[in-house]
Amino acid sequence: MTSSTPVTFPGVGGTTLSGVIDVPEGEVEAWALFCHGFTLGKNSLAAARVCRELASLGIGVLRYDAAGLGDSTGNWEDGTFSSKVADVRSAAAYMQSVGKTISIAIGHSLGGAAVLAAVKDIPEVDAVATIGAPYEPSHVVHLFEAVQEEIESTGRATVQLGGRHLEIRHELLLDLERTDIKDCIRTLGVPLLVIHSPMDNVVGIENAGNIFRTAKHPKSFFSLEKSDHLLTGKTQSKRAATIIAAWAEQYLEIDE
């Protein structure tokens, strides 16, 4: 059995981020953090299932809501990709402050891109894993391209994403389009595991190929067969977590 402990910690811009730490029943072999996708939250199927499965395998994980989502304070529409990256660093700093130093950074979808961009500033991280991550943050712009002209002309527009009506501001659009994480991937400096489904019709498999080609060794790729982008099937999340745990072990300082 594992347990889940609710926590809060400061994010950027005066926000308070709400998180959950999934804790293994026995000895903790390592601590990790999980950054969710664009509008998904800590309780999305991918986040909750992957993190709980990792905890069952001995890896404790912090998953948290971005500002304005779930139980976190702030306004989601005020956020940018840059603030998402900053909050990855905030999450790692919080874990270090409570004696749970992060060894593994994991990101799903846009959260994967955020983790790739943030790790250069988190020296304690020993390994990074991405799941269904885009090669370029601007990839998510296609989700609101129908109102892109309105955003550019009026500064904002409302779209429906993930069953919610969310405001997209021009600042987010500009930040996504201007951000290039290629150098972050190239100079990552830690082992990288790229997990992606060849059936992903939200973030195409070519993104995984581009990330893998850009990264330097040591790097690994795992094809998450028969999975959709959101990892809606229980076996998909379990398989991803199992692969991450088995792959990361070789890079962690675990007492035998």
Side-chain angles (χ1 to χ4, degrees):
M1 295 289 293
T2 63
S3 61
S4 297
T5 303
V7 297
T8 58
F9 58 93
V12 297
T15 59
T16 298
L17 303 185
S18 173
V20 168
I21 301 177
D22 294 300
V23 184
E25 180 181 16
E27 183 179 356
V28 179
E29 295 186 346
W31 292 103
L33 66 77
F34 186 101
C35 183
H36 65 73
F38 191 37
T39 64
L40 298 178
K42 69 179 183 295
N43 294 322
S44 63
L45 291 178
R49 288 175 175 171
V50 169
C51 294
R52 287 170 183 160
E53 184 64 24
L54 283 169
S56 75
L57 297 170
I59 298 174
V61 193
L62 167 65
R63 50 187 163 101
Y64 60 94
D65 289 320
L69 294 178
D71 299 314
S72 292
T73 67
N75 297 313
W76 183 88
E77 59 269 21
D78 292 336
T80 61
F81 180 75
S82 297
S83 65
K84 191 174 184 67
V85 173
D87 279 336
V88 174
R89 297 194 290 263
S90 298
Y94 166 75
M95 290 293 277
Q96 190 162 38
S97 74
V98 295
K100 297 176 172 62
T101 300
I102 292 298
S103 297
I104 312 168
I106 307 164
H108 172 229
S109 192
L110 189 64
V115 163
L116 290 170
V119 163
K120 67 180 185 298
D121 297 318
I122 313 176
E124 63 268 28
V125 168
D126 296 313
V128 174
T130 63
I131 306 171
Y135 181 54
E136 298 176 333
S138 59
H139 184 279
V140 300
V141 171
H142 80 275
L143 296 173
F144 42 86
E145 61 184 1
V147 294
Q148 188 167 342
E149 288 187 8
E150 181 182 351
I151 296 171
E152 292 174 348
S153 63
T154 67
R156 64 190 65 199
T158 300
V159 297
Q160 186 170 351
L161 296 172
R164 295 186 291 264
H165 286 89
L166 297 170
E167 185 177 87
I168 305 295
R169 295 189 178 184
H170 195 229
E171 289 81 3
L172 172 61
L173 185 65
L174 286 177
D175 193 47
L176 288 169
E177 291 178 338
R178 291 173 178 174
T179 301
D180 188 339
I181 63 170
K182 297 182 184 67
D183 282 343
C184 295
I185 299 170
R186 191 176 296 111
T187 60
L188 196 61
V190 296
L192 171 65
L193 172 62
V194 179
I195 298 176
H196 215 110
S197 170
M199 299 173 59
D200 193 329
N201 59 7
V202 176
V203 179
I205 189 68
E206 68 277 3
N207 287 272
N210 288 332
I211 292 171
F212 190 83
R213 280 190 294 272
T214 302
K216 295 181 179 179
H217 286 289
K219 57 184 176 180
S220 303
F221 172 78
F222 180 77
S223 181
L224 198 61
E225 299 288 347
K226 300 179 181 179
S227 171
D228 57 31
H229 181 69
L230 296 178
L231 276 63
T232 53
K234 288 184 179 180
T235 58
Q236 300 166 5
S237 302
K238 182 175 182 178
R239 194 182 315 127
T242 301
I243 291 299
I244 291 171
W247 167 83
E249 184 177 10
Q250 63 190 315
Y251 301 114
L252 306 177
E253 295 181 2
I254 299 174
D255 294 331
E256 299 293 344

